[in-house]
Amino acid sequence: MENKKKVAKPEGKLAVLIPGLGAVSTTLMAGVELARQGKGAPIGSLTQMGTARLGKRTDGRTVKLKELVPLATLEDVVFGAWDIISEDAYQVAVRSGVLTDKHLEQVKPFLQGIKPKPGVHDPEFVRRIAANHIKATKTHRESIEAIRQDIRDFKKELNAKRAVMVVCSSVETFRPLPEAFQTLANFEKALDANSPDINPTALYTYAAIKEGVPFANGTPNASVDTPALQEMAKLEGVPVAGRDLKSGQTMMKTVIAPALKARMLGLEGWFSTNILGNRDGEVLDDPQAFKAKEVTKSSVLDTILQPDLYPELYNKYSHKVSIHYYPPRGDAKEGWDNIDITGWLGYPMQIKVNFLCRDSILAAPLVLDIALFLDLAKRMEWRGIQEWMSFYFKSPMAHPGLPVEHDLFIQLTKLKNTLRVVAGEEPITHLGLDYYGDDLPLAR
């Protein structure tokens, strides 16, 4: 396939701008710096460690993804952040308790140099944090203009030629999607009216798109998953992705559920619960904030299992999701899953999963990959929904009218095949019939 896509080179620094200087973002920042110093490996990052086979299995051609397409290097990544708490990145990292003292001391000056700009805050959307570092703006329009100016200032301060924004802030309280988010015209009117329906994350989204900055939403908050802001992203020529990082328990669902369907095993029920003690856990202790997370965590099973196609297997299963704030656990989240399945003749069986994970350790490399891939998309002049990045999200977006794909392995194939096509290589179908010649004739 000789049709390599034209991609502008990743020249100069790339500013990764993050609303929400918390456990995930500081773990990312520290990890990137440790990797640059040769003191840590970027495990969990496809852009840094992933590979793609090219051509036939017999060709012996396998390359790293970062060699297949022109991605920004770790050496060129710089960071900026906003937060409603005034702590610098080192203070946040120490408080979060994710990394060891040894690792933190090795990057202390680097993290101390990352000081957040004041964040946009609405206590009706984030009710469990005592904010002390808030923009003095009085209207939505003023907040947007302040964020846009921050983006310009970050690029100057960090000597960056390009920027991307990835939201890693606290989960906001859930609200059914209001009319303001249905069209861009409605959204503009709601901004002018200073509508209480518009959440802080949406203001960051609007500002980033207006500045031509690729945007991803790593939270369940209303953002580019809405028709209004998707419309805006297309008009402004900005690539967008989201929502809610798929890191722990939901990742396991997108692995196990495809296996059940592949083997045509029935599902009677899936009970999921978590205990978590970091700031995210504290925020999710608010029932309305948990509702927003519950929506994204619960959405994957129906899409994967397709109960409309297999009603006798998946039409009546019970699905329960809960999260419990438990301070002693800190960032070391524990997830339990009890899965009641049925096999031949309807005989019952069970699968039990106990995932003792580290929330921010799983999420940090996802944010890195998202940032680097969004930058690639911008340099290719792609715009709007980047469905090929669904691999990273609990509730990924697709073009209106298209079913969303949640199967982790299909998502990975989609991502790698997209990169193959960008590089002028053939997509891989895994058909394999051409290896067997006359043994498996396709025509008589």
Side-chain angles (χ1 to χ4, degrees), residues 25-336:
S25 49
T26 56
T27 301
L28 164 68
M29 295 165 181
V32 167
E33 181 62 13
L34 287 164
R36 288 193 286 228
Q37 295 179 14
K39 296 175 181 176
I43 295 171
S45 167
L46 275 180
T47 61
Q48 304 308 301
M49 306 192 80
T51 64
R53 191 191 95 210
L54 305 179
K56 294 183 177 181
R57 279 179 276 169
T58 50
D59 291 346
R61 297 172 61 212
T62 297
V63 299
K64 288 192 173 184
L65 297 184
K66 61 184 179 181
E67 297 168 356
L68 181 62
V69 293
L71 298 176
T73 67
L74 292 189
E75 286 69 26
D76 285 332
V77 170
V78 290
F79 295 103
W82 294 264
D83 204 85
I84 59 175
I85 302 295
S86 60
E87 298 167 320
D88 64 41
Y90 177 74
Q91 292 172 303
V92 174
V94 170
R95 171 174 54 77
S96 299
V98 179
L99 303 176
T100 64
D101 291 344
K102 177 183 176 181
H103 272 148
L104 288 176
E105 284 305 307
Q106 290 170 331
V107 294
K108 182 176 180 178
F110 170 75
L111 292 178
Q112 287 177 324
I114 301 173
K115 303 180 189 298
K117 294 186 185 298
V120 175
H121 180 54
D122 182 341
E124 289 302 310
F125 283 96
V126 178
R127 304 191 290 212
R128 296 295 175 98
I129 295 178
N132 64 10
H133 195 55
I134 305 169
K135 290 195 180 303
T137 52
K138 293 183 172 59
T139 68
H140 291 330
R141 291 290 186 188
E142 288 179 5
S143 295
I144 287 168
E145 288 308 309
I147 296 168
R148 293 184 68 179
Q149 185 60 52
D150 285 346
I151 293 171
R152 299 180 206 123
D153 291 343
F154 271 131
K155 290 173 74 174
K156 290 178 183 177
E157 294 161 7
L158 298 169
N159 192 29
K161 289 186 175 293
R162 308 179 314 286
V164 298
M165 186 183 294
V166 184
V167 175
C168 297
S169 58
S170 296
V171 177
E172 295 168 349
T173 54
F174 174 78
R175 300 182 184 187
L177 194 65
E179 189 64 29
F181 285 88
Q182 296 299 335
T183 68
L184 182 55
N186 286 356
F187 193 82
E188 297 283 7
K189 290 178 184 177
L191 288 176
D192 291 335
N194 210 38
S195 169
D197 289 333
I198 296 182
N199 55 314
T201 301
L203 300 178
Y204 283 103
T205 312
Y206 187 101
I209 293 172
K210 275 295 185 183
E211 287 297 308
V213 172
F215 179 93
N217 180 17
T219 75
N221 306 336
S223 177
V224 284
D225 58 303
T226 62
L229 293 170
Q230 288 177 1
E231 181 183 347
M232 183 183 179
K234 288 186 69 174
L235 286 172
E236 299 289 340
V238 176
V240 294
R243 66 178 177 164
D244 205 1
L245 298 176
K246 181 166 61 183
S247 55
Q249 190 173 62
T250 307
M251 177 189 71
M252 297 303 296
K253 285 185 177 177
T254 62
V255 172
I256 296 171
L260 298 179
K261 189 175 76 169
R263 293 292 296 268
M264 290 287 102
L265 295 170
L267 179 65
E268 293 294 311
W270 197 311
F271 180 86
S272 300
T273 191
N274 303 261
I275 55 174
L276 177 63
N278 60 13
R279 192 163 80 177
D280 193 28
E282 183 178 6
V283 170
L284 289 171
D285 206 33
D286 179 342
Q288 283 303 108
F290 168 69
K291 179 64 177 177
K293 178 70 75 170
E294 183 182 31
V295 169
T296 60
K297 287 176 75 70
S298 302
S299 63
V300 301
L301 288 185
D302 271 359
T303 309
I304 292 173
L305 296 175
Q306 298 176 288
D308 54 326
L309 295 181
Y310 308 104
E312 66 274 34
L313 295 176
Y314 308 121
N315 203 33
K316 296 181 179 179
Y317 67 85
S318 175
H319 188 200
K320 173 70 175 176
V321 178
S322 63
I323 298 175
H324 303 278
Y325 178 48
Y326 182 56
R329 186 62 55 162
D331 199 69
K333 181 168 70 175
E334 184 166 359
W336 296 290

